[in-house]
Amino acid sequence: MVRTNYKTSFFLRKNVVNKNGESGIFLRLTVNKEAAQISTKATCAVGDWDTEAGKMRGKTKKANQLNDFLAEIRAAILFHIQEMERRDEIVTLEKVKNAYLGISARAETLMEIFKKWLDNAEKLVDVSKSRETYRKYERGYRRLQEFMKETYNITDIALRELSYEFIVDYESYLRRVSKCGVNTTPSSFRLSA
């Protein structure tokens, strides 16, 4: 397992002060030499902030609560990094930042995958595929786009949202609208009774 180089620190954005005389506290997150600044949504008076320690000075209830909150942020960042490492993922600043902010990874979609496959197929024209075969693939791509627009009024669908009904509807569309016969309906959509 590759260990991720990361660092967290907190700083006060002193140039912006709210009506209570407090400035916003920001997290500076560095992952593998890439850095980002993220608002913690917490504030502190400039005079109460310990710049070197990156926390609020004192032992008051407010100081303890704020410093505990900042410690929780550090712990959450560490947790997300360790989870990614445990899953043998490549840890990037964007992934850690998104995990901390609760932004989930974008789901792969049917048309994205189909387009990647189509692009790769085009590279194989005159190598292992004919131009005519590639044109059939393009036609299939366009038909799938048309089907989704006409049937569901969508332009794409997440892979995890594909259902049996979607496949049955698509097969029916190919036969009714596109006039595809048994041999021209993609074999992956031929359903046996």
Side-chain angles (χ1 to χ4, degrees), residues 6 8 27 29 72-81 96 100:
Y6 79 98
T8 56
L27 163 68
L29 173 63
E72 288 172 11
I73 291 174
R74 274 198 172 98
I77 296 292
L78 176 61
F79 171 78
H80 292 304
I81 289 171
V96 175
Y100 168 70

Side-chain angles (χ1 to χ4, degrees), residues 16-104:
V16 180
V17 179
N18 68 17
K19 63 183 177 184
N20 299 326
E22 297 179 331
S23 295
I25 301 170
F26 281 74
L27 163 68
R28 182 174 291 115
L29 173 63
T30 306
V31 177
N32 298 326
K33 299 183 182 178
E34 282 189 283
Q37 298 174 359
I38 305 166
S39 173
T40 66
K41 308 287 190 237
T43 59
C44 181
V46 175
D48 293 338
W49 185 255
D50 184 336
T51 303
E52 277 199 35
K55 65 181 186 175
M56 189 173 178
R57 289 187 182 102
K59 298 288 182 192
T60 65
K61 181 178 180 182
K62 183 178 178 181
N64 287 337
Q65 286 176 336
L66 179 60
N67 292 334
D68 287 347
F69 173 68
L70 299 178
E72 288 172 11
I73 291 174
R74 274 198 172 98
I77 296 292
L78 176 61
F79 171 78
H80 292 304
I81 289 171
Q82 288 175 335
E83 280 297 296
M84 289 177 204
E85 288 176 340
R86 186 183 61 76
R87 293 188 303 259
D88 288 328
E89 287 184 35
I90 295 171
V91 181
T92 65
L93 173 66
E94 184 179 3
K95 283 183 182 178
V96 175
K97 181 179 165 185
N98 288 345
Y100 168 70
L101 294 173
I103 301 169
S104 60

Side-chain angles (χ1 to χ4, degrees), residues 111 144-155 166:
M111 297 311 291
L144 183 55
Q145 283 180 315
E146 292 162 4
F147 158 74
M148 287 193 298
K149 185 68 179 162
E150 288 179 29
T151 308
Y152 295 102
N153 197 27
I154 58 174
T155 57
F166 181 93

Side-chain angles (χ1 to χ4, degrees), residues 122 125-126 129-138:
E122 185 176 28
V125 170
D126 297 329
K129 296 190 185 315
S130 70
R131 175 69 48 197
E132 186 55 36
T133 298
Y134 176 72
R135 285 189 191 112
K136 288 177 185 176
Y137 296 160
E138 283 183 311

Side-chain angles (χ1 to χ4, degrees), residues 109-122:
T109 65
L110 178 61
M111 297 311 291
E112 283 177 349
I113 298 293
F114 199 154
K115 181 69 171 121
K116 285 179 192 173
W117 180 81
L118 193 60
D119 291 344
N120 286 328
E122 185 176 28

